[in-house]
Amino acid sequence: MSFSLTIFSGLFLTCICLLGVLALRLARKVRQQERDLGGLSQTLERSREHAEEQKHRLAERSDLDRAKDEFISTVSHELRTPLTSIRGALGLLSSGLLGNVDARAHNLLRIASTNTERLIRLINDILDLERMESGRSPVNLRRCSLVDLSREAVEMMSALAEAAQIRLEMNSYAAHDAIYFDADPDRILQVLTNLLSNAIKFSPEGSTVSLEIDANTDALSLKVIDRGRGIPVDKLESIFDRFQQVESTDSSKKGGTGLGLAICRSIIQQHGGLIWAQPNESWGQPDHNGAPTNPGTTFCVQFCRSARIGDTASPREIAPLAERGEGLILVCDDDPGIRTVVREQLRRHGYDVIEAGSGEEVIALANEQTMRNAPSPAISAILLDHYLPGLNGWETLRQLKSSATTAAIPVVILSVSSPSERPLLVGEAQGWVQKPYNESLLLDELGRVLKSKAGTVKDPKHNLRTSRLTA
Amino acid sequence: MRRILIIDDEEDIREVAALSLEATAGWEIVTASSGADGILAAGNSKPVPDAILMDVMMPEMDGPTTFRMMQQNPELAGIPVILLTAKVQGVDQRRFADLGVAAVLFKPFNPLTLADQICEKLGWKD
């Protein structure tokens, strides 16, 4: 009896001890969890502060943008007002409407008038370029025919060509249904007339300036070929910079502003295209009379295009498209031109778009949008460029994926690199589109990522497809 | 003969624009240096002007405000108003288009073609 009592009390004591140990462990675990929770709430607090800070920085930047806008607008107005009086007075005096002036005085008036006109063009060009480079000049994309636009440009330049005794010719080697692409017709006309007027100005009397068009399914190319004095190889690139001309006296002699090609490049970049200059292919060949020819220059422009069945230029309205998407897409690229093109393409397909110019902005916007709409993520997907100033694409992606708030948002990389060049990114991203991209493949990839969003993609590597322009 | 009222706070521009229209089109020109003076001048002019050429940025009463006040005056509401402005940016242009003015012309204008431009915008076949 006492033996069993001893056993019983022993067991009882053991139980108590075990319970005590359990209680102690439990207490420790609770404390540990409390600490963890504390840490978590600290992390959350930090990320909230971080988001606040980013928001603050964004607000500061848009204030700065507004101030810059206002400044440019005011300067432009203040310069135009005195120029109005000067242009008016000189124009009336040199017209002879108010009585004749002697020849020397007339020559001086002509000089003053010409230079006033040049100053006005310069102000217009500076304003134009500033608006484009700050991304505040909207591109109104619609389906255009490059042949029609070229014909229009040639017609507009025919008077200038005639006065300079230059023959203008236009040839299209493109298939009749391959000449259509998405563009802002006014802007493209601006580029074409600028290239043609340059070619006319720098060509010798009696020569020919040709405009050539060619196309395949993915790309459209345009060449403006002159038989002028040619551009030294080391200046072929720099002529696209502001105020860079082959000879410093060109702007005064030829009446240009030194900004024309910079504007052309800006416009072409806004369209996601390329523009460059090269010596003519028939460089140095004697002409059919055996006389040596000028080297001459070819200005080349290339646009991406996506072929469509039964393609045609659209009038003012936008052609309806088969598959429409929905949802809010955050587009991040540091190049405002690319953002504009992507935005317009996505919007036409039914998506809403917000834009970010940097990785920091992406994180701030993703956090802000998600917190505002919790628990469902407000952003359907993020299109992320890889090369970004500050936080690069990879770092941005890592931050998005490691934050509980933004981890669920699928990310599609939009990069000039191929997935095989960036294996680390592949592991974290849900999709990939390689630049220069093609509109339909971008939309396909985005559609695929959005569809597979519900069932989370385990290994995106197997789902990655590459969209690449083969031109 | 057509009578045109020019409203601009810059004396030089008033003079150049007046001279330009007189010399190229032979129109009779009345000028005013502010929106308030412009409304008075338009009301006092017998007969009322055939058109008003008005600056946008003026101290006290700007062009758009002056235009709206004229629209409330039955005597002046029918006169076509052309804004002549150095504000050439897209946003400004859209704002002007919403006002309901007859046309917008930009500074610096060409003194030899200003009258032609006015005729074209107003459908005058002089």
Side-chain angles (χ1 to χ4, degrees):
Chain A
M1 186 68 188
S2 74
F3 178 67
S4 59
L5 196 75
T6 315
I7 287 176
F8 185 75
S9 58
L11 271 175
F12 183 72
L13 276 172
T14 314
C15 282
I16 296 279
C17 283
L18 276 173
L19 273 175
V21 168
L22 266 175
L24 268 174
R25 278 202 179 163
L26 217 71
R28 207 178 297 152
K29 212 164 189 171
V30 166
R31 271 202 301 279
Q32 174 68 40
Q33 271 177 357
E34 267 172 1
R35 269 203 302 276
D36 283 357
L37 272 174
L40 196 66
S41 76
Q42 260 177 17
T43 314
L44 273 174
E45 182 61 23
R46 267 203 301 273
S47 79
R48 204 186 55 78
E49 276 169 13
H50 188 63
E52 280 297 313
E53 199 186 306
Q54 299 281 11
K55 215 167 107 183
H56 187 65
R57 266 193 232 158
L58 278 179
E60 265 180 4
R61 223 173 72 180
S62 70
D63 282 351
L64 206 69
D65 279 350
R66 245 196 313 279
K68 195 174 152 201
D69 250 7
E70 253 163 51
F71 177 73
I72 297 273
S73 164
T74 309
V75 166
S76 149
H77 179 266
E78 294 309 305
L79 287 172
R80 266 167 222 279
T81 303
L83 273 170
T84 307
S85 306
I86 297 172
R87 185 190 197 186
L90 289 173
L92 285 171
L93 277 176
S94 55
S95 72
L97 274 168
L98 308 172
N100 286 328
V101 286
D102 78 59
R104 276 177 315 166
H106 190 268
N107 193 37
L108 287 177
L109 284 173
R110 186 192 53 76
I111 292 171
S113 285
T114 321
N115 283 283
T116 308
E117 298 300 326
R118 191 172 144 208
L119 192 54
I120 293 167
R121 276 199 303 276
L122 186 61
I123 293 169
N124 289 341
D125 279 0
I126 290 174
L127 205 68
D128 223 15
L129 199 57
E130 201 286 330
R131 271 203 303 258
M132 256 180 296
E133 301 208 330
S134 62
R136 276 184 290 277
S137 170
V139 187
N140 300 312
L141 292 181
R142 63 186 181 98
R143 203 68 171 166
C144 298
S145 152
L146 187 57
V147 170
D148 289 353
L149 289 175
S150 302
R151 201 171 286 138
E152 209 175 324
V154 167
E155 267 166 33
M156 284 164 78
M157 288 294 116
S158 61
L160 186 71
E162 207 172 305
Q165 296 185 35
I166 306 282
R167 209 170 77 83
L168 272 185
E169 63 172 30
M170 180 185 145
N171 299 302
S172 173
Y173 307 106
H176 70 281
D177 60 346
I179 52 170
Y180 301 102
F181 70 130
D182 294 321
D184 185 327
D186 295 335
R187 291 290 183 195
I188 298 301
L189 262 183
Q190 195 180 347
V191 172
L192 294 178
T193 51
N194 201 307
L195 293 180
L196 286 173
S197 95
N198 270 351
I200 293 167
K201 276 189 239 164
F202 290 100
S203 288
E205 243 175 55
S207 66
T208 303
V209 166
S210 7
L211 194 160
E212 291 181 358
I213 294 168
D214 206 351
N216 61 27
T217 42
D218 296 321
L220 263 174
S221 87
L222 176 132
K223 287 178 181 166
V224 173
I225 305 161
D226 67 49
R227 276 80 178 172
R229 66 183 180 207
I231 297 168
V233 178
D234 61 325
K235 294 203 167 134
L236 284 171
E237 183 54 34
S238 64
I239 48 164
F240 289 97
D241 295 339
R242 298 169 180 213
F243 302 115
Q244 291 299 315
Q245 286 170 318
V246 178
E247 278 171 29
S248 54
T249 54
D250 279 349
S251 69
S252 51
K253 276 199 238 153
K254 307 286 181 183
T257 60
L259 290 172
L261 287 174
I263 292 177
C264 286
R265 176 163 276 183
S266 240
I267 293 174
I268 297 301
Q269 282 173 346
Q270 274 192 315
H271 284 77
L274 293 169
I275 181 169
W276 71 95
Q278 63 190 36
N280 283 347
E281 274 155 16
S282 58
W283 190 84
Q285 306 243 322
D287 67 8
H288 47 267
N289 296 324
T293 53
N294 267 323
T297 309
T298 304
F299 280 86
C300 308
V301 182
Q302 204 164 60
F303 300 103
C304 306
R305 74 179 287 271
S306 52
R308 288 187 200 158
I309 295 163
D311 211 347
T312 151
S314 67
R316 284 291 158 190
E317 77 278 355
I318 291 145
L321 288 138
E323 202 175 341
R324 292 189 67 79
E326 57 178 56
L328 181 64
I329 312 295
L330 172 53
V331 176
C332 173
D333 200 305
D334 60 321
D335 182 339
I338 293 182
R339 288 206 304 273
T340 308
V341 173
V342 174
R343 180 188 69 214
E344 294 308 320
Q345 288 170 341
L346 293 182
R347 281 201 182 145
R348 280 189 303 133
H349 289 78
Y351 293 104
D352 292 317
V353 177
I354 48 173
E355 293 173 45
S358 68
E360 289 85 348
E361 236 177 288
V362 167
I363 291 163
L365 278 169
N367 273 301
E368 187 194 315
Q369 291 284 336
T370 311
M371 282 175 184
R372 193 188 292 163
N373 288 275
S376 64
I379 296 175
S380 311
I382 296 173
L383 272 180
L384 185 64
D385 180 23
H386 174 247
Y387 292 100
L388 292 170
L391 270 190
N392 68 28
W394 161 238
E395 290 159 344
T396 310
L397 185 60
R398 279 291 299 274
Q399 287 204 18
L400 287 168
K401 292 297 170 188
S402 59
S403 150
T405 339
T406 52
I409 308 173
V411 175
V412 176
I413 301 292
L414 186 60
S415 168
V416 286
S417 316
S418 71
S420 59
E421 291 171 83
R422 305 274 160 201
L424 284 175
L425 276 170
V426 173
E428 300 268 358
Q430 280 66 50
W432 198 293
V433 177
Q434 193 172 356
K435 286 196 271 197
Y437 69 92
N438 155 325
E439 182 180 346
S440 63
L441 288 176
L442 168 73
L443 290 159
D444 283 356
E445 181 69 351
L446 189 60
R448 181 189 70 76
V449 167
L450 290 175
K451 265 177 213 149
S452 61
K453 189 176 152 192
T456 312
V457 185
K458 292 276 185 313
D459 186 357
K461 261 177 258 184
H462 299 303
N463 290 295
L464 279 175
R465 280 185 313 166
T466 309
S467 323
R468 170 130 182 98
L469 175 81
T470 46
Chain B
M1 191 179 16
R2 298 210 183 266
R3 176 182 291 207
I4 311 288
L5 168 62
I6 297 174
I7 309 174
D8 199 308
D9 61 318
E10 285 262 335
E11 190 187 345
D12 292 348
I13 292 181
R14 284 200 305 276
E15 192 160 338
V16 167
L19 209 52
S20 144
L21 297 182
E22 281 166 4
T24 59
W27 293 338
E28 186 189 339
I29 307 299
V30 185
T31 63
S33 61
S34 71
D37 281 354
I39 291 174
L40 281 178
N44 291 338
S45 157
K46 294 285 176 282
V48 291
D50 296 292
I52 296 171
L53 197 60
M54 179 161 61
D55 186 24
V56 169
M57 298 262 283
M58 293 185 286
E60 286 158 33
M61 232 163 80
D62 66 0
T65 312
T66 311
F67 173 73
R68 277 189 289 266
M69 286 188 67
M70 286 179 180
Q71 292 315 100
Q72 285 161 16
N73 179 338
E75 265 185 74
L76 308 180
I79 309 173
V81 172
I82 296 176
L83 291 178
L84 184 62
T85 178
K87 289 264 188 193
V88 296
Q89 280 175 300
V91 270
D92 298 317
Q93 290 183 37
R94 277 189 292 282
R95 202 161 54 86
F96 301 148
D98 292 341
L99 272 176
V101 293
V104 181
L105 293 176
F106 297 107
K107 290 178 188 172
F109 57 83
N110 180 339
L112 304 180
T113 58
L114 182 63
D116 292 343
Q117 278 183 288
I118 294 172
C119 287
E120 190 199 319
K121 296 281 182 192
L122 300 181
W124 290 354
K125 308 225 184 307
D126 314 9

